[in-house]
């Protein structure tokens, strides 16, 4: 039985990846940081019905000795580094923490693997946010990066450390440059989930308006359930490499929002308020990924359309809000 260690297992991607690996017969271990509300942090694993099937281990991305102990004791075949301070807007308010966890945290995991289990296959959760002020209209593995947030700068450091450990130490270390991916398990602060939750509340009469920031921003949105398959595929290859994972379609926040309102039979213009206070200090205006390499080498393609995903998310939020009333 193969053993996998997932950092960030309590997050959106960690939960879907754990589900995928359990289905493939892996023993799945997840790094969990200590919290005073332990009953809250496994909510996504409970939602997927897998909380009793994964083994949790205590540790923190900032604490190298805990990572070394875990990797030494576990001797995992595969290590997926998904943990991060992942909300871009917060990275301007907490730039040093974001650098310490999202950037240096990756170096800590790489060090733990290099010292304790150097033949483990390693995955780094890199991000399309690294393209920032885009240098090419369609972004691929060869497009130059131009980070526009402390989060993106931290991810860029982690990305290059992953490449460096592959080239310096011969580690099987891959970096997945994933474009935005969402699901009913998405954190409420991210725009798709804020929209689907907000629209569901309006539909159920719990609120009347939805306040957003820059609705002209364009993103290439896919489904997290599809994207974790690409992570796994990268670690099954004979040689480690870097891959863009994207749908190849870009849509404005405004049009994504319209899909959610229309699914509920509501007119968006009656409820949507643009609030300049929600704009960011620097914006990533457009992301559009070219996943041709992932398709050719991994046989991976996005399976879920934006419409299908937003409808699934709205329905999940309608159920959640109704159940809590
Ligand atoms: P998420 O839902 O925000 O999950 C982040 C995870 O990191 C949570 O499990 C969190 O634990 C954990 N974490 C945070 N700080 C930690 C620390 N100091 N030590 C240990 N664990 C810590 O993020 P996601 O959407 O699943 O994304 C997964 C990864 O992919 C992230 O690295 C993200 O930056 C990257 N990424 C995401 C996307 C996307 O569109 N979703 C695209 C590209 C890249 P708690 O539950 O305790 O908070
Ligand atoms: N969160 C949020 N809230 N975003 C808003 C809002 C709002 O009220 N109004 C407009 N937006 C715009 C943001 O300005 C941004 O242009 C876009 O919606 C998407 O914002 P998020 O959903 O917060 O995601 P992100 O693109 O900043 O970052 C996500 O994707 C990255 C990959 O490109 C995160 O998952 C990152 O962790 C990930 O790396």
């Amino acid at each position: 039985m193969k053993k996998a260690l997932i950092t960030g297992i309590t997050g959106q991607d960690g939960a879907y990846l754990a589900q995928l690996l359990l289905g493939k017969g892996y023993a799945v271990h997840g790094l969990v940081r200590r919290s005073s509300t332990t009953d809250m942090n496994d909510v996504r694993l409970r939602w997927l019905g897998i909380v009793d099937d994964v083994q949790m281990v205590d540790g923190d991305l900032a604490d190298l000795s805990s990572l070394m102990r875990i990797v030494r004791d576990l001797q995992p075949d595969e290590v997926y580094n998904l943990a991060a301070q992942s909300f871009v807007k917060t990275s301007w308010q907490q730039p040093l923490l974001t650098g310490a966890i999202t950037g240096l945290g990756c170096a800590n995991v790489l060090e733990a693997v290099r010292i304790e289990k150097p033949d483990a296959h390693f995955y780094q959760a890199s991000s399309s946010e690294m393209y920032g002020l885009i240098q090419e209209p369609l972004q691929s593995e060869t497009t130059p990066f131009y980070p526009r947030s402390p989060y993106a700068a931290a991810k860029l450091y982690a990305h290059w450390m992953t490449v460096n450990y592959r080239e310096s130490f011969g580690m099987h270390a891959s970096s997945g440059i994933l474009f935005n991916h969402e699901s009913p398990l998405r954190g409420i602060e991210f725009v798709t989930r804020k929209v689907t939750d907000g629209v569901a509340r309006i539909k159920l009469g719990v609120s009347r308006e939805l306040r957003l920031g820059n609705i002209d921003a364009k993103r290439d949105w896919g489904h997290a359930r599809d994207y974790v398959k690409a992570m796994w595929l990268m670690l099954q290859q004979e040689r480690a490499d870097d891959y863009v994972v994207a749908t190849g379609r870009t849509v404005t926040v405004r049009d994504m929002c319209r899909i959610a309102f229309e699914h509920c039979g509501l007119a968006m213009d009656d409820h949507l308020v643009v609030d300049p206070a929600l704009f960011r200090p620097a914006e990533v205006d457009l992301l559009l990924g070219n996943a041709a390499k992932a398709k050719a080498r991994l046989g991976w393609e996005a399976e879920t359309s934006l419409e299908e995903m937003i409808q699934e998310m709205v329905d999940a939020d309608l159920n959640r809000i109704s159940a809590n009333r």
Side-chain angles (χ1 to χ4, degrees):
M1 185 186 257
K2 271 191 174 180
K3 276 183 277 182
L5 172 64
I6 303 175
T7 76
I9 195 166
T10 54
Q12 170 190 259
D13 292 7
Y16 280 111
L17 179 64
Q19 185 183 47
L20 178 81
L21 296 180
L22 287 167
K24 293 184 182 297
Y26 279 66
V28 177
H29 300 257
L31 179 90
V32 185
R33 55 181 169 162
R34 198 260 158 188
S35 157
S36 64
T37 49
T38 41
D39 53 331
M40 297 292 285
N41 66 6
D42 57 7
V43 60
R44 293 183 173 97
L45 298 165
R46 271 191 272 129
W47 204 81
L48 293 177
I50 56 171
V51 71
D52 295 329
D53 303 326
V54 297
Q55 310 290 320
M56 299 300 205
V57 284
D58 287 334
D60 195 296
L61 232 59
D63 185 37
L64 176 59
S65 68
S66 69
L67 299 171
M68 287 177 64
R69 169 181 50 78
I70 291 162
V71 176
R72 186 185 317 130
D73 291 351
L74 197 60
Q75 294 291 298
D77 301 288
E78 296 174 9
V79 176
Y80 296 86
N81 183 38
L82 309 186
Q85 189 304 95
S86 75
F87 189 42
V88 173
K89 190 148 189 258
T90 290
S91 75
W92 278 282
Q93 279 116 36
Q94 300 181 15
L96 301 184
L97 176 119
T98 303
I101 305 304
T102 306
L104 274 177
C106 169
N108 283 336
V109 182
L110 280 166
E111 273 294 89
V113 173
R114 181 183 70 81
I115 295 165
E116 303 292 351
K117 185 74 167 71
D119 64 341
H121 290 197
F122 174 86
Y123 173 84
Q124 168 57 17
S126 289
S127 167
S128 53
E129 184 74 12
M130 301 189 303
Y131 296 116
L133 188 62
I134 53 165
Q135 303 295 295
E136 289 175 344
L138 183 62
Q139 298 94 52
S140 73
E141 295 80 4
T142 55
T143 302
F145 299 114
Y146 193 131
R148 291 271 280 173
S149 62
Y151 167 84
K155 278 288 180 192
L156 198 53
Y157 169 77
H159 169 73
W160 283 119
M161 285 297 278
T162 303
V163 174
N164 183 263
Y165 271 51
R166 181 169 74 225
E167 294 176 354
S168 305
F169 304 115
M171 281 172 54
H172 194 291
S174 293
S175 174
I177 306 173
L178 269 54
F179 283 61
N180 298 50
H181 46 280
E182 322 291 315
S183 74
L185 300 185
R186 187 58 143 151
I188 198 87
E189 66 273 40
F190 299 94
V191 74
T192 53
R193 182 73 202 292
K194 182 175 174 183
V195 165
T196 62
D197 176 74
V199 169
R201 282 174 194 282
I202 293 167
K203 179 69 181 173
L204 294 171
V206 181
S207 65
R208 295 177 60 180
E209 65 172 32
L210 172 64
R211 299 183 90 81
L212 294 179
N214 177 14
I215 58 173
D216 294 320
K218 297 178 97 173
R219 288 292 182 275
D220 177 332
W221 278 293
H223 199 301
R225 199 174 41 223
D226 295 346
Y227 283 36
V228 298
K229 292 180 189 164
M231 299 177 187
W232 177 77
L233 284 165
M234 284 177 217
L235 299 210
Q236 311 316 306
Q237 304 307 303
E238 199 178 319
R239 293 181 50 176
D241 208 338
D242 308 321
Y243 295 90
V244 159
V245 176
T247 70
R249 174 188 175 198
T250 192
V251 172
T252 59
V253 170
R254 178 191 286 104
D255 287 342
M256 177 273 294
C257 198
R258 197 187 315 277
I259 296 168
F261 275 107
E262 284 180 356
H263 182 57
C264 284
L266 297 167
M268 182 172 81
D269 295 343
D270 294 343
H271 304 283
L272 180 58
V273 177
V274 173
D275 182 349
L278 297 174
F279 280 55
R280 295 176 177 186
E283 182 59 278
V284 173
D285 295 318
L286 185 153
L287 291 173
L288 176 60
N290 174 1
K293 180 175 170 183
K295 185 175 180 188
R297 303 246 185 107
L298 308 178
W300 181 89
E301 262 186 299
E303 293 164 46
T304 315
S305 72
L306 178 62
E307 286 75 7
E308 288 167 337
M309 181 180 75
I310 293 296
Q311 288 163 11
E312 180 190 344
M313 291 173 68
V314 171
D315 291 344
D317 280 319
L318 285 168
N319 288 336
R320 256 188 285 235
I321 297 160
S322 302
N324 287 336
R325 286 173 88 189

